[in-house]
């Protein structure tokens, strides 16, 4: 299965990435290679096989819903590129 | 005294007898790092001040009858595991300035046991890679041959232990990232059962596959560290409730008559002849030890790499969505919010990380989910079933860790698929969530270490460590050190 430059550009947008023309060429080629390698999986009939999303059969891990000590706001914000009055600052989203 | 040659258990004995202080052991190792690490580049950050302060405190409290099990023992930590207040970069520009305001659960547990930390070790960016060349900062070199890679992604931790900068380190293993570098560097690496060790505070790559584990000089030391990092954690709902046994005392288990399976798929095309030879020699040793060896089949092995390179990138693409320039990490300004996201992520991530985000996003995107992600997850079931069937007949599965000894720097960087295929014998263990132990079994003619892998069912760490320990005591390869 091949992948086009346009598709790569679309996926890049979904992933919030952008590429130069040169990168786009290279990624298109490498992704095509990798996708053609994984085609191999189609040799197997899996129509009757349940998928595994998790290696252990642990389900419904509950805990008490109680208030516990957490990281103070200042510390939680300490790595934010921009912050103000205890909030994260983002570029304006409403025009 | 060449302190750097001592395994953790020997260091502890001397500390406990009062024959060395934690302060002098720590400053000895820090000095060795300062002198020798410029050639190896195992560390991204050396936390010398904090380490010395913690060592002094350990010495003081030892005088006050503090008998904590790892008191004053210096370790190194892979730089994708959060240590409060110390840079945790994941070898990425994205997190170059990130200082976590909390400790990972493994760090909290090691601190409670008295351990101290020398620093943070290099890795492939976000643990994505098999050579540590994908670090955004610098590659790490193999202490046995500096022209060669240490393996990856936990290459810094494995190289640090091999070089004698520390006797124990933590790594993380998503598709072989503990075992393959351990094999390339001639040290021991354990990938515990999925869920055996809490992942809280490990920067997430592929959450259904990631597992933290020890990298040490001896299997005995791996047993020591596992005991103190394992266990159920309220903060990781995928951590397992199983009780944590005393892995050290289990090393003496009588394994006579136990059965080892040799998967024929692990000895086919692509396996280096010298590696094959050393594994065969190891099988003779196992027979001499009184174990039975028989050939088995894991028929879906040829599909493991393909399944893995859809599942792991799919999970990664979703886990790495959090790097958006808002909450922490790099921000590159743009003309609006979306543009800021794109610029931040495009400048913050390196090529391999982007490649995996792209594969994963594609595999999860509308119209392709069933064909790729679901298909790969169904194949994952078949791979897990292969192991379940095999473990009905045998107690262990043994094979190579990697198809070749350490390869040269630059050799595979431009060929992602070839790089992915170096994980061919390690990936299935993560897909099935079982135990995998890598330990040295010999050297190539060129003097490069060769690793042996022992696999066991879920929660079989006691037996796997026991077999590894009894094997290592015959060859005693841990006595060999690289000249650096």
């Amino acid at each position: 299965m091949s992948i086009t430059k346009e598709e790569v550009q679309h996926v890049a947008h979904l992933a919030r990435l952008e590429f130069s023309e040169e990168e786009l060429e290279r990624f298109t080629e490498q992704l095509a290679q990798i996708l053609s390698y994984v085609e191999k999986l189609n040799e197997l009939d899996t129509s009757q096989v349940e998928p595994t999303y998790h290696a252990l059969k642990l389900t419904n891990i509950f805990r008490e819903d109680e208030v516990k000590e957490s990281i103070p706001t200042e510390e939680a914000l300490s790595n934010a590129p921009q912050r103000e009055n205890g909030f994260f600052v983002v570029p304006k989203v409403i025009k | 005294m060449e302190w750097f040659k001592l395994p953790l258990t020997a260091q502890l004995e001397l500390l406990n007898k009062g024959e060395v202080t934690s302060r002098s052991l720590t400053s000895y190792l820090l000095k060795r790092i300062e002198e020798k690490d410029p050639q190896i580049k195992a560390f991204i950050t050396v936390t010398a001040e904090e380490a010395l302060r913690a060592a002094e405190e350990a010495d003081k409290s030892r005088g006050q009858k503090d008998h904590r099990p790892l008191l004053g023992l210096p370790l190194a930590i892979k730089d994708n595991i959060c240590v409060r207040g110390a840079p945790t970069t994941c070898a990425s520009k994205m997190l170059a300035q990130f200082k976590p305001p909390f400790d990972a659960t493994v760090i909290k547990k090691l601190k409670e046991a008295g351990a101290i930390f020398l620093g943070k070790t290099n890795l492939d960016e976000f643990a994505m890679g098999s050579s540590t060349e994908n670090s955004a900062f610098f590659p790490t070199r193999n202490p046995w041959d500096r022209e060669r890679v240490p393996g990856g992604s936990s290459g810094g931790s494995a190289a640090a232990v091999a070089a004698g900068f520390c006797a124990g380190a933590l790594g993380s293993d998503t598709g072989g990232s503990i075992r393959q570098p351990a094999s390339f560097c001639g040290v021991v690496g354990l990938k515990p059962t999925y869920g055996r060790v809490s992942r809280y505070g490990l920067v997430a790559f592929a959450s259904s596959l990631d597992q933290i584990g020890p990298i040490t000089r001896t299997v005995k030391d791996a047993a020591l560290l596992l005991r103190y990092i394992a266990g159920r954690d309220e903060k990781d709902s995928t951590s397992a409730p199983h009780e944590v046994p005393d892995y050290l005392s289990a090393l003496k288990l009588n394994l006579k008559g136990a059965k080892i399976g040799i998967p024929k798929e692990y000895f086919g095309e692509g396996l280096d002849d010298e590696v094959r030879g050393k594994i065969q020699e190891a099988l003779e040793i196992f027979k001499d030890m009184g174990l039975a060896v028989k050939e088995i089949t894991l028929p879906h092995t040829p599909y493991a790499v393909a399944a893995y390179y859809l599942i792991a990138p799919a999970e990664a693409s979703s886990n790495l969505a959090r790097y958006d320039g808002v909450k922490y990490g790099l921000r590159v300004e743009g003309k609006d919010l979306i543009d800021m996201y794109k610029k931040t992520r495009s400048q913050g991530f390196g090529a391999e990380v982007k490649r995996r985000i792209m594969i994963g996003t594609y595999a999860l995107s509308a119209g392709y989910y069933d064909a790729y992600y679901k298909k790969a997850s169904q194949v994952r079931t078949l791979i897990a079933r292969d192991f379940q069937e095999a473990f009905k007949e045998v107690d262990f599965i043994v094979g190579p860790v990697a198809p070749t000894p350490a390869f040269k720097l630059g050799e595979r960087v431009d060929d992602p698929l070839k790089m992915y295929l170096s994980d061919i014998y390690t990936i299935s263990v993560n897909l099935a969530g079982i135990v995998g132990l890598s330990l040295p079994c010999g050297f190539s003619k060129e003097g490069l270490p060769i690793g042996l892998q022992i696999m066991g069912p879920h929660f079989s760490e006691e037996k796997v460590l026991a077999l590894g320990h009894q094997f290592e005591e015959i060859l005693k390869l841990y006595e060999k050190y690289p000249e650096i």
Side-chain angles (χ1 to χ4, degrees):
Chain A
M1 164 131 185
S2 194
I3 184 165
T4 64
K5 269 209 284 195
E6 289 66 39
E7 281 177 293
V8 171
Q9 241 160 349
H10 171 66
V11 175
H13 172 70
L14 293 177
R16 300 294 183 259
L17 290 169
E18 60 187 11
F19 298 129
S20 68
E21 190 54 35
E22 185 208 343
E23 279 179 307
L24 191 61
E25 295 272 346
R26 199 170 61 235
F27 271 99
T28 306
E29 194 187 316
Q30 288 174 337
L31 291 186
Q33 251 179 35
I34 293 163
L35 291 174
S36 98
Y37 177 75
V38 303
E39 278 297 296
K40 182 182 178 82
L41 297 179
N42 292 326
E43 292 166 14
L44 297 172
D45 176 7
T46 52
S47 51
Q48 304 301 314
V49 181
E50 282 295 311
T52 296
Y53 297 117
H54 197 274
L56 291 183
K57 301 262 177 291
L58 293 175
T59 45
N60 295 345
I61 307 297
F62 294 120
R63 60 166 172 78
E64 290 308 311
D65 184 17
E66 48 192 18
V67 178
K68 289 193 179 163
E69 206 184 329
S70 60
I71 296 171
T73 313
E74 264 319 298
E75 271 185 61
L77 287 169
S78 62
N79 283 289
Q82 213 188 331
R83 52 189 181 266
E84 204 179 296
N85 301 329
F87 292 100
F88 297 109
V89 178
V90 296
K92 201 168 167 185
V93 281
I94 303 161
K95 298 216 164 118
Chain B
M1 178 81 182
E2 289 177 303
W3 297 111
F4 72 91
K5 291 194 172 172
L6 296 178
L8 291 174
T9 33
Q11 289 179 359
L12 260 184
E13 217 181 293
L14 294 180
L15 285 166
N16 288 334
K17 281 195 206 147
E19 288 180 22
V20 65
T21 62
S22 179
R23 159 91 209 194
S24 54
L25 178 62
T26 303
S27 58
Y28 174 94
L29 294 174
L30 287 169
K31 190 157 164 271
R32 186 171 168 84
I33 293 168
E34 198 184 325
E35 279 170 15
K36 311 272 190 188
D37 197 41
Q39 308 164 45
I40 306 293
K41 307 284 244 176
F43 285 89
I44 293 178
T45 309
V46 178
T47 49
E49 244 175 76
E50 293 87 337
L52 287 171
R53 197 179 325 123
E56 277 164 21
E57 274 170 35
D59 289 331
K60 211 185 291 164
S61 73
R62 189 182 301 277
Q64 292 154 5
K65 302 273 174 267
D66 181 345
H67 295 302
R68 282 180 292 158
L70 305 178
L71 187 63
L73 203 59
L75 302 173
I77 305 296
K78 185 177 182 180
D79 206 20
N80 61 348
I81 297 173
C82 291
V83 176
R84 188 188 160 119
T88 297
T89 68
C90 286
S92 179
K93 281 187 208 159
M94 188 63 91
L95 291 177
Q97 309 299 327
F98 178 65
K99 286 186 180 167
F102 63 96
D103 278 328
T105 296
V106 288
I107 298 301
K108 181 168 164 269
K109 289 175 87 109
L110 286 174
K111 280 183 179 170
E112 281 165 4
I116 61 183
F117 307 111
L118 298 170
K120 307 293 295 289
T121 56
N122 201 14
L123 63 152
D124 288 296
E125 184 178 3
F126 284 102
M128 296 179 191
S130 313
S131 68
T132 313
E133 290 166 293
N134 293 335
S135 166
F137 307 134
F138 43 78
T140 296
R141 288 165 185 274
N142 191 314
W144 293 92
D145 177 352
R146 273 168 261 156
E147 297 304 304
R148 291 176 190 268
V149 302
S153 67
S154 310
S157 284
V161 173
F165 298 151
C166 55
L170 292 186
S172 66
D173 191 315
T174 305
S177 279
I178 286 175
R179 290 161 288 154
Q180 184 255 23
S183 160
F184 280 13
C185 291
V187 296
V188 171
L190 174 70
K191 201 291 285 181
T193 306
Y194 181 81
R196 179 70 289 187
V197 177
S198 166
R199 294 181 295 107
Y200 178 75
L202 168 68
V203 177
F205 161 13
S207 305
S208 83
L209 303 164
D210 297 342
Q211 187 62 195
I212 296 173
I215 296 179
T216 51
R217 299 202 56 80
T218 65
V219 176
K220 194 175 174 185
D221 283 358
L224 173 76
L225 287 186
L226 181 64
R227 165 110 196 246
Y228 298 107
I229 59 173
R232 160 105 183 105
D233 177 16
E234 199 177 69
K235 289 180 169 147
D236 173 5
S237 61
T238 63
S239 62
H242 303 60
E243 212 173 299
V244 179
D246 178 357
Y247 296 108
L248 271 182
S249 60
L251 297 178
K252 295 189 288 275
L253 280 175
N254 181 1
L255 297 169
K256 279 204 172 52
K259 292 193 197 91
I260 292 177
I262 308 301
K264 59 176 190 220
E265 294 80 6
Y266 282 46
F267 291 84
E269 205 188 328
L271 179 62
D272 177 272
D273 283 337
E274 281 194 274
V275 177
R276 185 192 306 271
K278 288 295 166 195
I279 304 291
Q280 271 157 357
E281 283 174 29
L283 295 179
E284 293 307 313
I285 295 174
F286 287 128
K287 285 182 198 161
D288 291 344
M289 288 165 63
L291 284 95
V293 174
K294 65 179 272 191
E295 188 180 273
I296 57 157
T297 175
L298 298 169
H300 295 94
T301 301
Y303 302 96
V305 172
Y308 177 88
Y309 278 97
L310 288 169
I311 293 169
E315 294 186 17
S317 78
S318 133
N319 271 327
L320 271 61
R322 72 191 64 182
Y323 302 103
D324 58 1
V326 174
K327 298 175 292 299
Y328 41 76
L330 181 75
R331 173 187 289 191
V332 180
E333 299 300 338
K335 61 181 191 304
D336 55 24
L337 185 67
I338 299 281
D339 195 44
M340 185 277 278
Y341 289 156
K342 287 188 177 178
K343 290 205 156 57
T344 297
R345 293 166 60 79
S346 298
Q347 293 180 35
F349 293 136
E352 181 60 26
V353 174
K354 288 180 195 167
R355 200 146 42 229
R356 299 212 194 177
I357 291 175
M358 290 292 291
I359 300 169
T361 306
Y362 183 76
L364 292 174
S365 64
Y368 294 110
Y369 181 92
D370 281 1
Y372 289 107
Y373 183 66
K374 189 175 169 204
K375 179 81 188 183
S377 301
Q378 287 169 312
V379 174
R380 182 177 184 181
T381 303
L382 298 175
I383 289 164
R385 269 189 210 158
D386 282 356
F387 282 109
Q388 283 160 19
E389 287 304 310
F391 285 129
K392 283 180 191 163
E393 287 181 48
V394 296
D395 305 283
F396 305 100
I397 297 175
V398 165
V401 181
T404 64
F407 45 88
K408 291 204 162 136
L409 274 109
E411 198 180 302
R412 299 189 187 176
V413 175
D414 297 324
D415 190 346
L417 206 50
K418 191 162 182 205
M419 190 72 97
Y420 296 172
L421 288 169
S422 62
D423 301 337
I424 191 157
Y425 307 128
T426 47
I427 269 174
S428 301
V429 164
N430 300 79
L431 291 170
I434 60 172
V435 182
L437 174 70
S438 166
L439 71 162
C441 68
F443 288 84
S444 72
K445 285 192 202 79
E446 287 181 281
L448 299 171
I450 293 173
L452 170 85
Q453 184 173 206
I454 304 174
M455 293 163 264
H458 292 151
F459 303 103
S460 65
E461 281 83 356
E462 288 166 279
K463 279 166 85 176
V464 169
L465 289 165
L467 182 60
H469 171 68
Q470 293 170 26
F471 177 86
E472 81 178 351
E473 285 305 320
I474 291 170
L475 290 181
K476 295 193 190 294
L477 292 172
Y478 52 77
E479 289 173 354
K480 291 193 78 171
Y481 263 87
E483 289 293 326
I484 55 164

